[in-house]
Amino acid sequence: MKKIIVVLMIIVVNITYSQKIEFLERYDTLENTKEKLFVFLCPETDLTNSKLVAKVKATGNINDVFLLFQTIKNEVQKIGSNSFKLEKFTKVGDENAELIVSTYFCEDSVFENNYKNIPKNKIYIFGDQNIRAKNTQNFKINREEHEIESGKFKEFNLKIGEQLKINKGGGRTGKTYWINGEEDKIATFFSFTGIGLIESTHKLETEMGIINIKSDQFNIIDPNFGLMLLKIFDPQK
């Protein structure tokens, strides 16, 4: 399925999580978004025939980028958005950050073209989303030792026909995941902290031929959030 990915001063405050969302631009739309998609739009994707629904800014704790993303998603889907483009992520002081995205309603043809721009046969490992922390996590790729720091990601290539083994921890508490390289297979995104999890009913599980892992050590990230996170986190060498 190709849909995977990937100024009105109206302010809504999420009291429970202290998130603030601000509509910088907002346009009326009668589009129906029954599928509840929220697809990441690659910078190269032509949006000429897409409808801009809103430009939105979420402000909140810098240590929870996923909550900023989810706050925006929850609001804009109500007004017809089914996709988004990252505009800016900015640190505000020591504890907060601003996430700005433009959200759109796109037809299937746009998603088809967008799919062509999504990385294929790549694996991305993300560190803790607490950008201010200096946590380092260790893992293995095909028995080779690696480490990932907070606020960073590592990229690995997956050859078609190759099976790659990812391992976190050892003994009975360790977790291992195998992934196969396949023709035109979109990138897979992992973390060891639970950020941006694919929901258990998400259609991507079947399309990607994967299962959803929910543990304290090994998690698959929603690719749409993962693709955005590649623009926010720094690559680790």
Side-chain angles (χ1 to χ4, degrees):
M1 185 177 69
K2 308 301 185 184
K3 299 178 184 178
I4 51 179
I5 307 281
V6 245
V7 180
L8 293 180
M9 303 302 287
I10 302 173
I11 300 176
V12 180
V13 179
N14 183 323
I15 298 175
T16 304
Y17 299 105
S18 299
Q19 305 297 305
K20 183 174 71 174
I21 182 169
E22 179 180 343
F23 285 79
L24 305 177
E25 300 176 32
R26 180 169 174 170
Y27 304 95
D28 292 335
T29 178
L30 299 178
E31 304 295 351
N32 192 330
T33 55
K34 289 182 179 179
E35 293 185 78
K36 294 300 180 184
L37 297 172
F38 201 48
V39 176
F40 176 86
L41 297 170
C42 300
E44 305 89 345
T45 300
D46 184 5
L47 300 177
T48 303
N49 296 320
S50 299
K51 182 171 184 178
L52 176 64
V53 178
K55 186 174 182 179
V56 191
K57 176 173 71 175
T59 306
N61 195 306
I62 195 172
N63 298 333
D64 202 338
V65 181
F66 182 65
L67 187 54
L68 292 174
F69 169 77
Q70 197 67 26
T71 300
I72 291 176
K73 176 183 176 181
N74 291 342
E75 292 299 320
V76 299
Q77 284 184 326
K78 298 175 185 177
I79 59 174
S81 298
N82 65 2
S83 51
F84 70 99
K85 181 176 69 174
L86 175 66
E87 298 292 350
K88 185 186 296 185
F89 178 81
T90 309
K91 297 179 182 178
V92 181
D94 294 330
E95 297 184 356
N96 294 315
E98 291 180 349
L99 174 64
I100 300 177
V101 301
S102 292
T103 71
Y104 294 82
F105 177 83
C106 297
E107 301 288 353
D108 288 352
S109 59
V110 177
F111 291 136
E112 293 284 340
N113 291 327
N114 188 64
Y115 186 82
K116 298 174 184 177
N117 298 321
I118 296 171
K120 308 296 193 302
N121 282 300
K122 300 277 188 181
I123 294 173
Y124 295 98
I125 307 289
F126 290 91
D128 195 302
Q129 68 171 334
N130 185 342
I131 297 175
R132 295 181 302 166
K134 296 183 179 180
N135 300 331
T136 300
Q137 297 170 309
N138 298 312
F139 62 97
K140 294 180 181 180
I141 298 286
N142 289 344
R143 298 185 178 180
E144 182 179 344
E145 296 278 356
H146 295 274
E147 65 177 25
I148 187 69
E149 300 173 9
S150 298
K152 295 187 177 181
F153 69 89
K154 272 196 169 185
E155 176 185 297
F156 299 89
N157 294 315
L158 184 62
K159 296 179 181 179
I160 296 174
E162 174 187 52
Q163 184 177 74
L164 188 144
K165 178 181 178 181
I166 308 172
N167 176 259
K168 180 72 171 69
R172 294 182 178 180
T173 60
K175 299 291 181 180
T176 301
Y177 189 82
W178 289 267
I179 185 166
N180 296 319
E182 300 173 6
E183 186 72 33
D184 205 35
K185 184 174 186 175
I186 70 162
T188 308
F189 304 83
F190 293 99
S191 79
F192 306 120
T193 58
I195 60 172
L197 282 172
I198 295 176
E199 297 175 3
S200 60
T201 57
H202 203 291
K203 294 180 180 179
L204 282 175
E205 296 175 35
T206 300
E207 292 293 331
M208 294 173 61
I210 60 175
I211 59 172
N212 188 24
I213 302 173
K214 293 188 178 181
S215 73
D216 293 334
Q217 289 191 331
F218 219 121
N219 298 292
I220 297 175
I221 297 175
D222 179 341
N224 295 299
F225 177 65
L227 287 165
M228 186 188 76
L229 214 56
L230 291 177
K231 308 296 183 181
I232 295 175
F233 279 19
D234 295 321
Q236 181 168 330
K237 298 179 180 179

